[in-house]
Amino acid sequence: MKHALAIPPVLGAIAPARRWAAGHLRAAGVEGHLLDVLVLLVSEVVTNAVAHASPPVHLRLEITDGVARVEVTDRAREVPVIRRPEPTQGGGRGVGLVDMLATRWGVVESVDDDAPKTVWFEVALEEVRPA
């Protein structure tokens, strides 16, 4: 199953995107801890795109046998990196969470000016790596 959603470049779009992804994941039979992990990671990549990227922002979700793949495409050329924020810092942990909890993740850079960057992650639906 493939699903796509255009996301407005406002922080208020994060919760609806999270609910949208959760609904499609539930419909595909994803539940429990696995659903929680996927929704958390969707929230993190969408938050990064809305807060730091350039519109338009597009969220894609593909669920196949054994794998859920999430992609967020935007117009920013800056590539996300894993940061090590101080415990008292309010942000900077999103990419680290994706790195810890996703089975695989990465960034695809393109020469297309309308969508020069796609951040993606995959989670194996059989199990999630322990944090």
Side-chain angles (χ1 to χ4, degrees), residues 85-93:
E86 294 295 322
T88 55
Q89 284 183 282
R93 292 170 181 80

Side-chain angles (χ1 to χ4, degrees), residues 21-55:
H24 286 296
L25 289 161
R26 278 191 201 98
V30 180
E31 56 189 23
H33 177 70
L34 207 48
L35 177 64
D36 294 342
V37 167
L38 278 157
V39 170
L40 171 67
L41 297 182
V42 165
S43 185
E44 292 300 333
V45 294
V46 169
T47 298
N48 283 348
V50 169
H52 305 292
S54 300

Side-chain angles (χ1 to χ4, degrees), residues 12-86:
I14 298 165
R18 188 172 47 239
R19 285 191 297 274
W20 175 88
H24 286 296
L25 289 161
R26 278 191 201 98
V30 180
E31 56 189 23
H33 177 70
L34 207 48
L35 177 64
D36 294 342
V37 167
L38 278 157
V39 170
L40 171 67
L41 297 182
V42 165
S43 185
E44 292 300 333
V45 294
V46 169
T47 298
N48 283 348
V50 169
H52 305 292
S54 300
V57 175
H58 295 279
L59 171 62
R60 282 184 293 284
L61 172 63
E62 183 176 2
I63 305 162
T64 59
D65 288 340
V67 176
R69 182 180 175 98
V70 174
E71 299 178 350
V72 176
T73 303
D74 64 67
R75 292 182 65 187
R77 296 212 178 269
E78 182 178 331
V79 174
V81 295
I82 298 172
R83 296 193 175 140
R84 308 275 185 238
E86 294 295 322

